[in-house]
Amino acid sequence: MKRRDLLKALALLPSTAMLGISSQVMAAPATQNRLLLVFLRGGYDASNLLIPTSSNFYYESRPNIAIARPGSTPDAALALNADWGLHPALRETIYPMFQQGEAAFIPFAGTEDLTRSHFETQDSIEMGQPLNGSRNFHSGFMNRLAKVLGNNGKMTAMSFTDQLPLAMQGSAHIANTALRNVSKNNVDQRQRDLILQMYADTSLSQAVKDGFAMRDEVAREMQEEMNSANRNAISTKGFELEAQRIARLMREKYALGFIDVGGWDTHVNQGGSSGTLAVKFEELGRGLAAYRKEMGDSWRNTTVVVISEFGRTFRENGKHGTDHGHGSVYWVLGGGIKGGQVAGEQIALEAGKLFQNRDYPVLNEYRAVLGGLFGRIYGLNTNQLDQVFAGVKARDLGLA
């Protein structure tokens, strides 16, 4: 094999092998709590997800894209309580979960980072570190959580992404592989033998073997799924299919997971009850509902948290879209959560209450909120929570 070809083959390996990271394919105990973090990249318009139906200011600010107050028409918001409604695209998926106490929303959530830059704010959130002072750009809060939970030797973690995201980077061993093209074998047997031989007498030997084993196992399961689909074909694509695959692995092997979903930047013609954003909500809802269904009995011990780097401007812009904002709305789903509520500190949305006269203020700082949630899910003490989110007091919103 030419050196150029070998380097190309090495580049196609799952990063677990290349970074010397164990895939930890041991099965997760059936009763172990499971957590999946869903990161919506692009800053989704939370004001059209969780509709402030009691706010006249909302309807004045969005003459073209507002969602109608709850009513009998299909395009109306779905009533959650006296102040809030849910986008109608989630009628068949997330709304029933809310009614069953398996879904909750946290408005005015987010970071105090004010850059309004996608990348800077995503990095800031994924690091989960104080904004002031030096920061470690190779230490994400999900990795630190995995490390804290891994002390008992039972923790298994996986990032379902092409590259290990910043949230999952750090000293804890975490596997990653995207499931969209996992059935494609980018490294043939000859290349595999050469790579194994090259690492045979090094400290990375076992990690490289584990990386290949993990990829083989995932590819085999995907092939079985495709064979099954020939008789009972899956009728939808995209996130729904990927969520089913993730659930299968989370149910059987992994207790901590990460997935990101892009395309939420809606500056132009984002739509209202229908249109671009509505389609995305509908697809995301179907995916999360499919995840819930595929988890089966393990759903009782599962928590799904949906976040984004920021919300968007409260007023629509001149192109019937919204621009980069500040506060957002986080979702918390799960079979064992105390859902059916809109949680956290809130204010009435009136003129003069917006942050910098343009977007949601952050009243529920994400590190405190997630720290409180993790503390309830895993029974973590103050010292353990400080290892995940240093320098912030966890805030329990009573969701778990």
Side-chain angles (χ1 to χ4, degrees):
M1 173 184 276
K2 295 180 180 178
R3 181 175 181 275
R4 182 182 57 190
D5 296 334
L6 176 60
L7 291 176
K8 184 183 296 185
L10 287 171
L12 294 173
L13 274 173
S15 61
T16 51
M18 292 308 300
L19 296 177
I21 293 174
S22 168
S23 60
Q24 303 186 50
V25 293
M26 68 189 79
T31 56
Q32 186 172 10
N33 289 325
R34 290 163 172 78
L35 172 68
L36 177 69
L37 185 77
V38 181
F39 200 118
L40 306 184
R41 297 194 187 276
Y44 86 102
D45 181 25
S47 299
N48 265 17
L49 177 281
L50 188 66
I51 321 298
T53 53
S54 63
S55 170
N56 291 329
F57 182 48
Y58 166 79
Y59 290 97
E60 295 166 2
S61 301
R62 298 187 166 213
N64 297 289
I65 64 172
I67 308 299
R69 289 189 167 92
S72 57
T73 59
D75 61 348
L78 308 166
L80 300 182
N81 61 29
D83 294 318
W84 301 99
L86 189 65
H87 195 287
L90 300 170
R91 182 186 304 277
E92 306 297 331
T93 54
I94 306 302
Y95 190 49
M97 293 168 64
F98 183 89
Q99 293 174 310
Q100 295 166 21
E102 296 183 351
F105 299 96
I106 307 171
F108 309 105
T111 171
E112 295 173 353
D113 187 311
L114 295 178
T115 63
R116 291 192 175 89
S117 158
H118 291 301
F119 302 121
E120 288 187 40
T121 313
Q122 287 174 15
D123 287 351
S124 176
I125 287 179
E126 291 189 64
M127 284 188 285
Q129 301 166 26
L131 293 177
N132 299 322
S134 62
R135 291 193 285 175
N136 183 350
F137 282 80
H138 300 286
S139 177
F141 77 83
M142 291 288 283
N143 187 287
R144 297 195 296 274
L145 175 62
K147 188 174 182 179
V148 168
L149 298 176
N151 289 337
N152 59 12
K154 297 178 181 178
M155 190 64 196
T156 57
M158 174 68 130
S159 179
F160 302 96
T161 51
D162 292 315
Q163 302 293 329
L164 197 65
L166 180 50
M168 284 294 209
Q169 292 183 23
S171 58
H173 291 179
I174 293 178
N176 82 280
T177 188
L179 300 185
R180 290 182 293 274
N181 301 310
V182 73
S183 61
K184 294 181 179 178
N185 191 356
N186 294 320
V187 181
D188 63 29
Q189 188 60 49
R190 185 173 66 92
Q191 293 169 328
R192 173 187 298 233
D193 291 342
L194 285 170
I195 293 168
L196 288 170
Q197 184 179 0
M198 185 176 72
Y199 282 99
D201 297 323
T202 74
S203 61
L204 295 175
S205 174
Q206 190 58 49
V208 172
K209 291 178 182 176
D210 287 349
F212 277 127
M214 180 271 291
R215 191 170 180 80
D216 288 346
E217 185 173 356
V218 174
R220 184 167 55 252
E221 293 194 5
M222 295 306 103
Q223 187 60 52
E224 291 172 355
E225 171 198 293
M226 286 187 284
N227 292 341
S228 175
N230 289 333
R231 298 190 299 272
N232 184 23
I234 298 172
S235 59
T236 55
K237 298 180 180 179
F239 181 66
E240 182 176 8
L241 175 58
E242 195 164 0
Q244 288 176 319
R245 291 170 169 171
I246 292 171
R248 214 161 297 156
L249 291 170
M250 290 289 291
R251 186 185 63 208
E252 301 296 334
K253 298 180 177 64
Y254 299 103
L256 188 63
F258 179 98
I259 178 69
D260 48 9
V261 184
W264 298 92
D265 204 10
T266 52
H267 290 280
V268 180
N269 292 329
Q270 72 174 46
S273 60
S274 61
T276 301
L277 186 61
V279 170
K280 291 187 178 299
F281 282 148
E282 198 272 339
E283 291 175 342
L284 179 66
R286 279 194 289 119
L288 294 171
Y291 182 86
R292 173 186 182 274
K293 181 178 181 181
E294 195 67 37
M295 289 300 291
D297 292 340
S298 295
W299 178 247
R300 291 176 297 188
N301 303 317
T302 294
T303 304
V304 177
V305 179
V306 182
I307 70 174
S308 191
E309 65 264 35
F310 43 61
R312 304 191 74 81
T313 49
F314 191 71
R315 300 179 181 88
E316 69 176 61
N317 62 27
K319 298 179 180 178
H320 296 180
T322 51
D323 301 317
H324 299 179
H326 187 45
S328 183
V329 174
Y330 288 2
W331 315 17
V332 180
L333 316 175
I337 73 163
K338 297 176 181 176
Q341 59 174 314
V342 180
E345 185 177 348
Q346 300 165 40
I347 57 172
L349 285 164
E350 303 168 349
K353 294 291 184 65
L354 299 182
F355 178 73
Q356 296 182 345
N357 192 32
R358 58 175 285 166
D359 34 43
Y360 275 12
V362 170
L363 306 177
N364 302 296
E365 198 271 338
Y366 82 104
R367 298 194 312 140
V369 168
L370 294 183
L373 184 62
F374 296 164
R376 294 285 292 188
I377 293 173
Y378 298 110
L380 303 181
N381 58 38
T382 301
N383 179 57
Q384 290 172 314
L385 289 173
D386 195 57
Q387 295 177 49
V388 181
F389 294 117
V392 65
K393 183 179 180 181
R395 186 177 178 189
D396 182 9
L397 298 186
L399 294 175

